Amino acid sequence: MTELPDVPDMLATVRDFLARLGPTLDKGARFEAQVAVYLLDIARRELAAPPAGADTTRLCADIRSGRCDVRWDETLDVELDAAIARVRIVRPDHLEGT
């Protein structure tokens, strides 16, 4: 029985195919291939990332109810870390040097 490739391998294969194909396409299709490559890179980083932080809906409810008032600094640190993690997935080069 042949094992199927895992999801990151499949994404990498499609990404590499589009990256090679892109330069051979006309201007509009080349742009669409570049966007697809970019999105596949995001998907690969998302799969490799640790699980996301706090549930936003719950966090908003906690803030509104005042449950975060006594630990406001901690709440901000957690949310800043979560925002940085999201930026690292979407634009990892954006945080270089910080």
Side-chain angles (χ1 to χ4, degrees):
M1 175 193 257
T2 304
E3 263 190 63
L4 295 174
D6 61 10
V7 172
D9 287 341
M10 289 186 285
L11 291 173
T13 300
V14 174
R15 183 237 182 264
D16 293 345
F17 169 75
L18 289 171
R20 285 190 314 271
L21 180 66
T24 68
L25 301 171
D26 65 65
K27 188 176 178 180
R30 185 175 342 144
F31 174 75
E32 290 174 354
Q34 289 172 331
V35 170
V37 166
Y38 177 74
L39 294 174
L40 288 166
D41 285 340
I42 290 173
R44 289 173 61 203
R45 289 189 295 268
E46 180 81 30
L47 286 171
D55 172 35
T56 304
T57 304
R58 181 169 177 236
L59 175 65
C60 291
D62 287 350
I63 290 171
R64 283 188 197 101
S65 73
R67 284 189 289 268
C68 293
D69 290 353
V70 295
R71 55 187 173 89
W72 195 245
D73 289 341
E74 176 188 338
T75 301
L76 290 177
D77 287 342
V78 167
E79 285 308 301
L80 178 60
D81 290 344
I84 290 170
R86 287 189 298 270
V87 170
R88 284 202 171 113
I89 289 170
V90 177
R91 292 282 310 272
D93 58 323
H94 190 68
L95 296 174
E96 288 179 6
T98 59

